[in-house]
Amino acid sequence: MPQYLVCNYLPDDFDPSTVTEAMMEEIHALNREMIAAGVRKFACGISPAANAKTVRKQPDGKVLVTDGPYIETKEHMGGFWILEAANMDEALAWARKGAITCDAAGEVRELLFFPAPEQGPGESK
């Protein structure tokens, strides 16, 4: 069954201290609902974009490490779920609940899996 990344975006000036216990309980309730439905594979928040490091290959083959997110933006990913859903429509139904519960815009993308390097084409895990 396909798996999907469902992430939410927060403004760069987001203050985690504004998250109330009631908001956290709503998020926990959504997570419990996803677990009960068998769709949630993994979920977590991530540290602020200000803590990010970006790696970029340079023309000389070296890798430049810089502070901050990889693009200039006024929002950043605040957390995500990995869901196993029948199709994009089902993943979007969960993402809608997440957007309401987290009061945040987000994104849904199907995860693409390729054979592990030690496996040949057509072999499964």
Side-chain angles (χ1 to χ4, degrees):
M1 189 174 308
Q3 292 186 359
Y4 296 87
L5 168 73
V6 177
C7 65
N8 60 30
Y9 300 137
L10 298 172
D12 280 343
D13 62 355
F14 177 74
D15 179 1
S17 70
T18 63
V19 177
T20 65
E21 285 186 38
M23 292 166 74
M24 284 307 305
E25 181 48 41
E26 287 182 42
I27 292 168
H28 290 320
L30 177 57
N31 277 294
R32 287 190 294 269
E33 183 182 355
M34 289 176 174
I35 291 166
V39 300
R40 195 190 95 169
K41 297 300 172 190
F42 182 80
C44 69
I46 58 176
S47 67
N51 297 345
K53 300 289 185 190
T54 296
V55 293
R56 188 178 312 274
K57 181 182 173 190
Q58 301 300 295
D60 65 4
K62 294 181 181 177
V63 175
L64 176 65
V65 179
T66 57
D67 290 336
Y70 67 97
I71 56 173
E72 291 295 323
T73 182
K74 294 181 181 177
E75 295 179 323
H76 62 272
M77 187 186 309
F80 63 92
W81 290 276
I82 301 295
L83 305 181
E84 190 170 76
N87 53 43
M88 178 63 84
D89 289 339
E90 183 182 345
L92 284 169
W94 288 108
R96 284 183 183 95
K97 290 182 178 196
I100 292 167
T101 301
C102 297
D103 191 25
E107 183 174 332
V108 178
R109 290 194 200 185
E110 184 172 352
L111 300 178
L112 304 176
F113 294 96
F114 300 98
E118 64 274 5
Q119 296 175 324
E123 291 183 54
S124 59
K125 295 179 187 178

